[in-house]
Amino acid sequence: MTRVELRGLVPVWALACLILVVAPLLAAALPSQGRVVFKGAPVPGATVIATQASSRLVTTTNEDGTWRLDLGAGAWSVRVEMRGFIPLERQIEGGEATSEAEWSLTMVPAD
C-alpha cells in the first residue's frame, strides 16, 4: 500500500518541478525594439532609456538607428534622447514581443 501512495505523489512532484522550471521562462524578458529617425534618415548614437520602478536599462542606437532592450513584464517608460533634438517618451508594455516602432525626432528650435 505504501507503493501505491508514493506512485500517486510522483505526478504531483513532476508537475511541481515542471512549474519551477517553466515559470521563470514565461516571465523572462522579451525584446522590445525601435528605430530612431530624423526626416526618414537613421539617427545613430541616440540614447534610449527604459525605466520601470527602480529598474533602469540604457542603450544607444546603432548605425541603422535601431535599438533593442530586453524588458521584463509590465509597463515601461522609454525615452529617446539625442543632442540637438527634442526628447521623445512613450509607454511600452514589456514582456511581450513587439514589432519595431519608429521614433521620429524633431530638432530643437533655434533661439
Side-chain angles (χ1 to χ4, degrees), residues 6-7 10 26 28 32 35 41 43-44 52 60-61 64 73 89 102 110:
L6 289 177
R7 284 185 186 171
V10 171
L26 295 176
S32 292
R35 183 169 187 255
V43 179
Q52 179 191 57
T60 56
T61 57
D64 296 327
E89 191 163 343
E102 189 166 277

Side-chain angles (χ1 to χ4, degrees), residues 9-94:
L9 292 177
V10 171
V12 173
W13 177 82
L15 181 60
C17 288
L18 181 64
I19 290 171
L20 289 174
V21 170
V22 173
L25 297 175
L26 295 176
L30 293 173
S32 292
Q33 57 191 20
R35 183 169 187 255
V36 180
V37 298
F38 173 64
K39 295 185 178 182
V43 179
T47 301
V48 181
I49 306 161
T51 56
Q52 179 191 57
S54 62
S55 298
R56 185 173 192 234
L57 302 172
V58 180
T59 192
T60 56
T61 57
N62 64 16
E63 63 277 353
D64 296 327
T66 59
W67 60 268
R68 177 184 164 141
L69 288 170
D70 293 333
L71 304 178
W76 287 79
S77 177
V78 179
R79 183 177 173 95
V80 174
E81 300 175 348
M82 182 69 174
R83 186 181 193 118
F85 294 93
I86 298 170
L88 295 175
E89 191 163 343
R90 294 183 190 164
Q91 298 299 311
I92 290 180
E93 192 64 30

